[in-house]
Each structure stands twice: as C-alpha cells, then as structure tokens.
C-alpha cells in the first residue's frame, strides 16, 4: 500500500511540473505576439505619420493594415485594459500622444506616441492576483511630424 501512494505522489509531481512548463511556454508565445503587435503598430504610425491610425471606425488604410497584421500573427486580446490617460483603438492597442517641447527643430507639430499592447493570458489565479497591467508591452514611436 505504501508503494501505491508513492506512485500517486510521483504522478502528481510530474503533472504539476508539466502544467507549469506548459503555462510558461504559453506565456512566452503570447508575449511574443504582443511584442510583434506593438512593433507593427509603431511602424504603421511612423509610416502613415499618424494620419488615420487612431480611427475607431477602422475605415482608414492604417487601421486596416494594423487589423490585418493582428489577424496574421493571431493577436486578439480578450479584454484590453488601458491606463487612464490612454485611448483604446479597436480593442487591439492603447495609445497616448505626447507633444514634443522643442518645436524649433520641426516645421510642423511634432508628437511622440506611446503604444501599449496586452499579453493575452487565461490563467484565472494569475490574472486575479497580479492583474493584466503587469503583462503589457509598451513602446514609443520616433518623433512624428503632423500637419496642424
């Protein structure tokens, strides 16, 4: 009887180990998707010089390309939670516009955009204890000159 309990205990340890490894691998894959999405959004904002990239209807070329890239890499956060001073676009990313102070070097309005994407995580205990704000990826664009 003692050997039976030892075998069950070993199976429990192996199962817990496999669940932890699977969870870590899932987190890495989802973090990679969020990181790629952040880079894509930043590239689109810089390429289109922020024109039409923040349209909530999704009818502009910039937003359509962002949505296409999100579908291509399989990025679709369940519930995007933006910080207070950020704005969500199509449930895919959050952004905040910051005006550059040194306007003498720029002929028009110069802005920097901070972009946040969210790692899609489905572990109930982790999301309740830590919250999703820990699992967000953020980045800034280069200076983008827009027409006033």
């Amino acid at each position: 009887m003692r050997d039976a309990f030892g075998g069950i205990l070993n199976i429990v340890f192996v199962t817990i180990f496999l669940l932890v490894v699977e969870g870590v691998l899932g987190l890495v894959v989802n973090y990679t998707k969020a990181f790629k999405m952040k880079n894509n959004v930043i590239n689109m904002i810089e390429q289109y010089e922020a024109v039409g990239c923040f349209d909530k209807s999704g009818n502009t070329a910039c937003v359509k390309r962002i949505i296409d890239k999100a579908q291509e890499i399989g990025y679709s956060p369940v519930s995007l939670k933006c910080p207070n001073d950020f704005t969500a676009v199509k449930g895919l990313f959050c952004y905040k516009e910051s005006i550059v102070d040194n306007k003498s070097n720029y002929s028009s309005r110069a802005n920097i955009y901070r972009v946040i994407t969210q790692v899609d995580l489905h572990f109930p205990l982790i999301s309740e204890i830590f919250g999703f704000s820990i699992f967000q990826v953020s980045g800034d664009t280069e200076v983008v000159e827009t027409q006033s």
Side-chain angles (χ1 to χ4, degrees):
M1 191 67 174
R2 192 174 348 147
D3 291 337
F5 287 119
I8 291 173
L9 188 62
N10 286 338
I11 290 173
V12 169
F13 283 140
V14 168
T15 304
I16 290 172
F17 174 75
L18 289 175
L19 287 174
V20 169
V21 168
E22 183 180 327
V24 169
L25 290 175
L27 179 63
V28 169
V29 168
N30 286 324
Y31 182 83
T32 303
K33 286 180 186 180
F35 193 81
K36 285 182 180 180
M37 186 64 188
K38 177 210 46 119
N39 287 340
N40 178 58
V41 171
I42 288 174
N43 289 338
M44 289 299 120
I45 291 170
E46 291 173 352
Q47 180 179 353
Y48 284 91
E49 295 179 346
V51 175
C53 291
F54 309 116
D55 182 36
K56 290 180 177 52
S57 68
N59 294 329
T60 62
C62 181
V63 174
K64 287 179 183 178
R65 287 188 63 191
I66 290 171
I67 292 170
D68 289 344
K69 184 64 174 182
Q71 291 172 348
E72 179 183 319
I73 63 175
Y75 176 77
S76 60
V78 176
S79 61
L80 182 66
K81 295 181 182 174
C82 297
N84 290 338
D85 52 347
F86 283 76
T87 306
V89 176
K90 299 293 283 181
L92 294 174
F93 67 95
C94 305
Y95 78 95
K96 180 174 88 170
E97 179 180 10
S98 300
I99 298 173
V100 176
D101 291 333
N102 187 4
K103 293 185 180 184
S104 61
N105 295 335
Y106 304 105
S107 59
S108 59
R109 198 170 114 194
N111 299 326
I112 294 177
Y113 296 92
R114 171 155 287 191
V115 175
I116 296 177
T117 57
Q118 184 167 298
V119 177
D120 192 17
L121 194 63
H122 296 292
F123 300 117
L125 290 178
I126 292 175
S127 62
E128 289 175 14
I129 294 171
F130 294 115
F132 281 106
S133 61
I134 292 175
F135 300 109
Q136 291 182 337
V137 181
S138 66
D140 296 333
T141 63
E142 296 292 324
V143 175
V144 177
E145 292 186 56
T146 58
Q147 298 300 322
S148 298

